[in-house]
Amino acid sequence: MSVEIRPFGREYADGVVALAQAEGWPTFSDAERVTRLLTAPGVVGLVAVQNDKVVGAAQLLTDGHQAYLAILVVAAEARGQGIGKRLIEAGFQASKAVRMDLLSTPESEEFYRRFTHREITGLRLFQGAPREAGDSEPGLR
């Protein structure tokens, strides 16, 4: 089955919401927010479409030289078909970036290590007071 990588458009928002819900990502929980986040200035939003169904999505923040891969998601049943790789390649092309930074879960590191890369330490900061030792991790995505 052929997969097309397309620029994000409002018509794909519900499909991206479904992917995010399957992953447990509350930030991408409604179509209006998804549309706003994937069409904001400086954002490249991409979707992978197979048989008129969204099976993957990517959001890159870019200034035209560097990019930050904010999300990359591929439907569980579509993994292993090269969709994630194609979304990243299309992201490089659409953003014109020469490098792409990202944060990764341990489960996805093997995938990202297949690309030419350099590993650096990263943190995700949340709004609010600094944490004290022993505080539980925020459950936000």
Side-chain angles (χ1 to χ4, degrees):
M1 290 185 242
S2 177
V3 175
E4 284 186 64
I5 307 299
R6 301 177 185 168
F8 173 82
R10 170 65 183 96
E11 67 273 22
Y12 303 118
D14 290 334
V16 174
V17 167
L19 291 174
Q21 287 175 338
E23 295 298 316
W25 295 354
T27 302
F28 289 80
S29 61
D30 70 68
E32 277 186 46
R33 179 181 286 169
V34 164
T35 300
R36 190 172 65 251
L37 294 173
L38 293 182
T39 60
V43 170
V44 171
L46 300 168
V47 292
V49 180
Q50 186 175 50
N51 296 327
D52 296 321
K53 179 183 177 188
V54 175
V55 294
Q59 178 198 38
L60 292 90
L61 315 176
T62 185
D63 61 8
H65 174 73
Q66 57 192 356
Y68 175 76
L69 181 62
I71 68 158
L72 178 69
V73 61
V74 175
E77 68 275 7
R79 292 178 187 157
Q81 299 178 33
I83 295 169
K85 178 179 184 279
R86 290 184 55 204
L87 283 164
I88 288 175
E89 290 169 347
F92 269 115
Q93 184 176 7
S95 71
K96 311 249 186 294
V98 297
R99 75 168 196 233
M100 186 181 300
D101 296 326
L102 59 99
L103 294 174
S104 174
T105 60
E107 302 82 34
S108 6
E109 288 177 354
E110 181 181 332
F111 167 75
Y112 292 115
R113 284 186 176 123
R114 295 178 193 158
F115 294 89
T116 301
H117 70 281
R118 180 170 55 105
E119 292 188 34
I120 56 176
T121 301
L123 299 170
R124 174 169 286 166
L125 304 180
F126 292 90
Q127 184 177 354
R131 290 178 38 195
E132 298 295 325
D135 284 352
S136 62
E137 179 179 340
L140 303 176
R141 306 244 190 257

